[in-house]
Amino acid sequence: GAGVSQSPSNKVTEKGKDVELRCDPISGHTALYWYRQSLGQGLEFLIYFQGNSAPDKSGLPSDRFSAERTGGSVSTLTIQRTQQEDSAVYLCASSLRWEGTYEQYFGPGTRLTVT
Amino acid sequence: EDKVVQSPLSLVVHEGDTVTLNCSYEVTNFRSLLWYKQEKKAPTFLFMLTSSGIEKKSGRLSSILDKKELFSILNITATQTGDSAVYLCAVGQGGKLIFGQGTELSVKP
C-alpha cells in the first residue's frame, strides 16, 4: 500500500489478556518505529527497528512489552498480561533509513482499551 | 534529561489570523526537528529541519530552525478552519523522535 497500515484499528481486551498489534510499513522503508499516545499525553517512543534488529528498546515500559520484525517488513508489538494503564493509541511509523534525518510517516494507530 | 517543550499548549484564533507556534528543545545527539499535524489519529508530516536559518515553506505554512538558541517556530498565515488540529514538534535523536506535548490550535469561522 501507499502508506503505513496498522491492525486492528481498535482493540478492547480484558485485563490480564495478551494482545498483538500489527504494523505494515511503507514498502522499501528499512526503519520501523513504535510509539504510544496515552490520553492527554504526548507521543512516547517505545522501540525502533533497523531491518530486523532492534538497536533501541529503551522505551518499552516493562518486560510485558515485546516487539519483533520479520523479513524487514511487518512488525508485531505484543503486550502480555495487559493492565489498564496500557490503554492508549499505539502508533507505528516507518522511514527510509534510521539515522534520524529521514522523515517518519505514521500509520493510523491501534486504539487499545483494557477493561 | 532530553526534552521538547511547545508553547502555547492551546490557541484559539479566527479565520484569517496568522499564528506562530513555538518549540524549544534540549536534546543530546540532535539530528533533526520535525513538525507534524494531528487531526484524528495519525500525525501527518509537515516539515523536517536540519539546518539553522533556512526557512521551509509549504503553502501558508512555514518553519525555521535556530540551532544556536535551540528552538523552532511554525507559522501559519491566513488560517482556515481546516487548520484546526494539534501541531506536534519532535526532535530526531539517533533513531527515535522525542515529541513535545503539542499545541492545540482551534480556528473559529
Side-chain angles (χ1 to χ4, degrees):
Chain A
V4 178
S5 60
Q6 293 186 245
S7 61
S9 56
N10 284 284
K11 176 73 177 178
V12 180
T13 190
E14 292 179 356
K15 178 182 171 182
K17 301 276 190 179
D18 297 353
V19 295
E20 283 190 355
L21 312 179
R22 176 189 167 108
C23 172
D24 206 333
I26 292 172
S27 178
H29 281 194
T30 62
L32 185 148
Y33 312 80
W34 285 98
Y35 295 87
R36 175 169 77 171
Q37 189 170 33
S38 304
L39 191 63
Q41 302 294 314
L43 273 81
E44 171 191 17
F45 169 79
L46 298 178
I47 186 171
Y48 89 90
F49 290 89
Q50 178 189 354
N52 291 335
S53 65
D56 190 346
K57 304 179 183 180
S58 63
L60 294 178
S62 77
D63 58 9
R64 296 185 296 104
F65 287 72
S66 63
E68 65 175 15
R69 188 180 185 196
T70 55
S73 183
V74 172
S75 175
T76 302
L77 177 69
T78 301
I79 309 173
Q80 296 178 310
R81 304 181 304 280
T82 51
Q83 303 294 313
Q84 288 186 331
E85 60 263 27
D86 299 335
S87 295
V89 176
Y90 289 82
L91 289 159
C92 175
S94 70
S95 66
L96 196 59
R97 299 284 188 268
W98 65 275
E99 293 95 344
T101 54
Y102 292 87
E103 306 93 277
Q104 293 185 21
Y105 294 94
F106 283 81
T110 294
R111 181 176 297 278
L112 175 66
T113 303
V114 182
T115 61
Chain B
E1 182 186 348
D2 296 319
K3 61 180 178 180
V4 177
V5 178
Q6 292 185 244
S7 64
L9 293 181
S10 65
L11 190 56
V12 180
V13 300
H14 288 93
E15 273 192 316
D17 288 350
T18 293
V19 298
T20 298
L21 309 183
N22 304 291
C23 176
S24 64
Y25 62 92
E26 292 178 28
V27 175
T28 56
N29 196 24
F30 173 94
R31 297 297 186 97
S32 57
L33 187 142
L34 297 89
W35 286 96
Y36 288 87
K37 178 182 181 183
Q38 187 174 28
E39 293 177 88
K40 293 277 177 74
K41 277 188 179 178
T44 54
F45 172 77
L46 295 175
F47 298 111
M48 185 174 75
L49 305 151
T50 56
S51 300
S52 274
I54 299 174
E55 184 183 54
K56 292 227 174 171
K57 195 171 171 66
S58 176
R60 296 176 294 102
L61 279 67
S62 64
S63 183
I64 196 161
L65 172 67
D66 185 328
K67 290 170 73 173
K68 181 180 177 185
E69 300 297 329
L70 307 183
F71 78 91
S72 173
I73 60 172
L74 174 69
N75 280 319
I76 308 175
T77 59
T79 51
Q80 302 171 358
T81 54
D83 295 327
S84 295
V86 175
Y87 289 83
L88 298 168
C89 171
V91 172
Q93 179 192 60
K96 69 184 184 186
L97 294 178
I98 300 171
F99 281 86
Q101 324 92 295
T103 293
E104 184 173 12
L105 174 65
S106 178
V107 182
K108 303 295 186 187

